[in-house]
Amino acid sequence: MEQICELPTDSDSFGLIHSDFEDENMYMDNGWLVAFDFDECQYKWFIYDIAAILRESTWRLPACRRIDDPCSVRFLETFMNGYDRANKLDPFWLEQLPLFLRLRESVVYIYFLGKVDLSGMSEEHRKAIRIMRRRIENEVPLPDFKYMR
């Protein structure tokens, strides 16, 4: 958190974000992606929103279990091509992606501990939560991810 809090908060990199943009919080309408469920909106770095989306894609898509899998790389490249139409991030921020992925992992873990009945979860989900905990406690970095423009 100390490292994150030292990052710039200029208008090109910091502002109002959705913070929970995932498949359950969007739908397609005549070719347009429509987002909803804005209860977690907050002022934060734009790269955090990208980290949240990438982390969610690796959680939900069986072919994208790791951040550096070809599926994840393809997902992020496609996403960033669309993202760049609305907002261009300095390459510096993409270098911060692993840091923000770790932050998102911690946020998701805390959410599960506080809001979800773990006893009602499948063994696969409980195992995933145990893995998250070990990675967080042992400060295991998520795989290094380099997005090339």
Side-chain angles (χ1 to χ4, degrees):
M1 285 308 302
E2 290 174 9
Q3 190 177 357
I4 288 173
C5 289
E6 292 176 4
L7 293 169
T9 56
D10 58 88
S11 62
D12 290 331
S13 60
F14 190 94
L16 186 62
I17 64 169
H18 187 280
S19 184
D20 191 26
F21 198 58
E22 59 174 61
D23 62 344
E24 294 174 356
N25 295 334
M26 66 178 102
Y27 67 92
M28 292 296 292
D29 182 31
N30 293 320
W32 287 91
L33 187 62
V34 178
F36 57 92
D37 190 10
F38 292 90
D39 65 323
E40 292 188 39
C41 281
Q42 57 189 296
Y43 283 93
K44 200 173 235 116
W45 292 269
F46 299 140
I47 194 67
Y48 180 80
D49 233 4
I50 295 168
I53 291 164
L54 182 59
R55 192 212 169 272
E56 185 64 23
S57 75
T58 63
W59 175 266
R60 295 205 183 250
L61 301 175
C64 299
R65 289 294 184 210
R66 290 177 29 134
I67 301 303
D68 58 351
D69 278 346
C71 174
S72 296
V73 172
R74 190 171 53 256
F75 174 86
L76 186 60
E77 287 174 345
T78 302
F79 175 81
M80 289 306 299
N81 284 336
Y83 187 90
D84 283 347
R85 293 180 185 174
N87 186 36
K88 294 226 185 253
L89 280 180
D90 186 283
F92 166 82
W93 290 105
L94 293 171
E95 294 170 11
Q96 307 309 311
L97 187 56
L99 178 63
F100 282 89
L101 284 165
R102 286 180 39 221
L103 173 61
R104 181 62 181 180
E105 178 108 320
S106 297
V107 168
V108 169
Y109 179 74
I110 291 166
Y111 167 80
F112 278 121
L113 290 183
K115 301 253 182 178
V116 176
D117 177 14
L118 300 179
S119 65
M121 286 186 147
S122 70
E123 179 54 33
E124 181 182 359
H125 282 109
R126 284 195 301 273
K127 180 181 176 185
I129 291 169
R130 287 191 302 270
I131 290 169
M132 272 192 277
R133 179 179 178 163
R134 278 195 300 266
R135 283 196 306 240
I136 293 165
E137 287 178 343
N138 296 314
E139 298 183 20
V140 175
L142 291 166
D144 190 21
F145 182 83
K146 302 289 185 211
Y147 172 73
M148 302 305 235
R149 290 189 179 219

